[in-house]
Amino acid sequence: MDRRTLIKGLGALVSAGALPLSPLAMGTGLQPVSGSSPRTFSYAWLKGRARALAAEAYVSHKNELPQSLKTISWDDYQAIAFRPDRALWRDDDTAFQIQLFHLGLYFQQPVKIHEVIDGEATELAYRQDLFRYNGDQPLGDLPEDLGYAGFRIHYHNNFALDLAAFLGASYFRAVGAEMQYGLSARGLAIDTGMNREEEFPRFSEFWLEKPAPGSQLLRVWALLDSPSTTGAYAFVLDPGRNMVMDVDVALYPRTEITRAGIAPLTSMYQVGENDDRMGYDWRPEIHDSDGLAIRNGNGEWLWRPLVNPVNLRFNTFQDNNPVGFGLLQRDRDFDHYQDDGVFYDRRPSLWVEPRGDWGRGSVDLVEIPTVDETFDNIVAFWHPQEPLLPGREYLYSYRLHWGEQAPLQPYELATVQATRTGLGGVVGQERTYFSWRFAVDFAGGALEMLAKDAEVETVITVSRGDVEITSARPLSAIDGYRAMFDLVPDDSTEPVNIRLYLRLGGEPLTETWLYQYTPPPVAERQIY
């Protein structure tokens, strides 16, 4: 398991087979909590429980973990591994198996996990002998009611690799056919990117329904809890070339939430072809996602390349009933990454498909400076225009698509293939003022069908400054077009917002490329 995977809090792939057996007695697998009996369970019951909990004060469980787990080292935590032969449903005729994560290190609040069979739920008891441990630090006798940190799901086509994992706060992630983890999703974001401390709601309980024989669907429910809200979540997981998750959400705020993030996505962008500010690594590019895609309520396709900014950036894209949005990894060329360990070229994209009327609001993008790849620094989510108020119920439904390709593509339009930037001006001519060059490559749609002399027009708007040396010309290497221009900024160092697309005869040929460029201070604008 690479260090970044666990730091990010999801999908830890601890190698259980390499660890020796625990000296503890062999058990018989996952069992109900002692003295408990099954109770009727349904999503309606869960929503009722979440609503009732919202009327009570929030209770934190941060300080309940035994000291041996609070202070456990990185290496010793990695040495705790669930025994695969004790997986839930291992000996049953189902397409799925469940393994559990142990508490400790970054995961210090207990999670209760229940099994649901025929509408009856039973809590699974913590048992220390379900785990193998060969670490140096003694763990001692851990309490019987310790609980778990989360769980991961294995699928019958490959029980050695994770299909999905729920671990840490309300984080979860999944894989498509590439079987490669990448970006994460969350149940809810609160105050992300604001000038106040971010709140991280957590899934405090899960219910896992045992699939019927032959079923390829897995149903999971979760109870969300935080100082500001409670919530009930229903997931239906449908594996395939894309992993599809149907998500239903019911939120019950305890307090007014002015900055709520619905269907939040979390990713990492350190270095890319358009931003090499942190380009000191031997690998050319390092990122889980390279852009934010939006299909807005007016039917316009937008593409915003990601950056690793010098200072925190917060961008908002106003909309009414969005068709969809997502953080995508469009660049699939191994040569652009040269990483044969974590394979950034295989990282999944994640597309959010809203279902029902989401009303007015915005897709918000937060980009946070990062010095290395171990920290997620990109967040995108839907922000409702109106605040969420206590005493009310807020319902959201959406579908998540995890995989190489987003399910919704602008097939009639060309899409951005690459964004590159650098010093502007004309090679061989003396530069007398500062300008910054942008080169945007488009492919797909009708571009490869155009005659070489087609009068393709570059449509550019900027919020400040002047545009010069504009061109759009065929690029045979990708059967597309390259749009180029120089931006001459004014003396301000405030960000410049840029929009660009190609058109022919008044009709758009491409999606709309969006960018935010921050000019350097005037004293630092070298023209060479």
Side-chain angles (χ1 to χ4, degrees), residues 157-231:
N157 69 339
N158 193 339
F159 283 134
L161 296 175
D162 291 15
L163 185 71
F166 290 73
L167 176 65
S170 66
Y171 285 86
F172 59 96
R173 58 177 171 177
V175 300
E178 299 77 19
M179 299 300 290
Q180 177 68 52
Y181 275 135
L183 77 170
S184 308
R186 281 194 270 172
L188 184 68
I190 297 178
D191 291 344
T192 303
M194 303 298 291
N195 58 355
R196 54 183 179 266
E197 184 177 357
E198 181 174 358
E199 182 176 308
F200 290 90
R202 74 183 193 97
F203 289 139
S204 59
E205 295 189 55
F206 289 100
W207 289 261
L208 312 175
E209 183 178 65
K210 182 179 180 180
S215 174
Q216 301 302 305
L217 302 178
L218 178 63
R219 299 181 185 278
V220 176
W221 295 269
L223 176 66
L224 184 100
D225 198 12
S226 84
S228 295
T229 189
T230 65

Side-chain angles (χ1 to χ4, degrees), residues 301-303 305 330 410 413-420 438-448 450 456-460 471-485 499-503 508-514:
W301 280 98
L302 307 175
W303 175 256
R330 280 185 175 173
L413 299 174
T415 58
V416 176
Q417 303 300 301
T419 300
R420 298 178 177 87
F438 295 86
V440 184
D441 294 346
F442 295 93
L447 291 185
E448 61 182 294
L450 299 180
V456 175
E457 181 183 3
T458 304
V459 182
I460 306 172
S471 65
R473 57 180 184 269
L475 187 61
S476 60
I478 61 171
D479 291 326
Y481 265 69
R482 171 168 290 171
M484 296 182 67
F485 67 95
R499 292 173 59 96
L500 176 152
Y501 69 94
L502 301 182
R503 70 183 178 191
L509 291 168
T510 70
E511 64 184 355
T512 300
W513 173 86
L514 305 176

Side-chain angles (χ1 to χ4, degrees), residues 11 28 37 44 51 135 161 183 211 213 216 249 254 270 291 328 344 347-348 350 353-354 388 408 447 459 480 487:
T28 57
S37 58
R51 186 194 296 271
L161 296 175
L183 77 170
Q216 301 302 305
V249 180
R254 286 186 166 107
Q270 181 190 343
L328 310 185
Y344 287 112
R347 299 286 165 131
L350 179 50
E353 177 189 347
L388 306 186
L408 194 60
L447 291 185
V459 182
L487 172 67

Side-chain angles (χ1 to χ4, degrees), residues 50-78:
R51 186 194 296 271
L53 188 62
E56 302 173 6
Y58 174 70
V59 177
S60 173
H61 298 275
K62 285 185 177 181
N63 299 317
E64 298 178 1
L65 206 62
Q67 192 66 21
S68 63
L69 294 175
K70 285 182 182 179
T71 60
I72 192 170
S73 70
W74 165 268
D75 290 333
D76 284 347
Y77 183 75
Q78 282 190 299

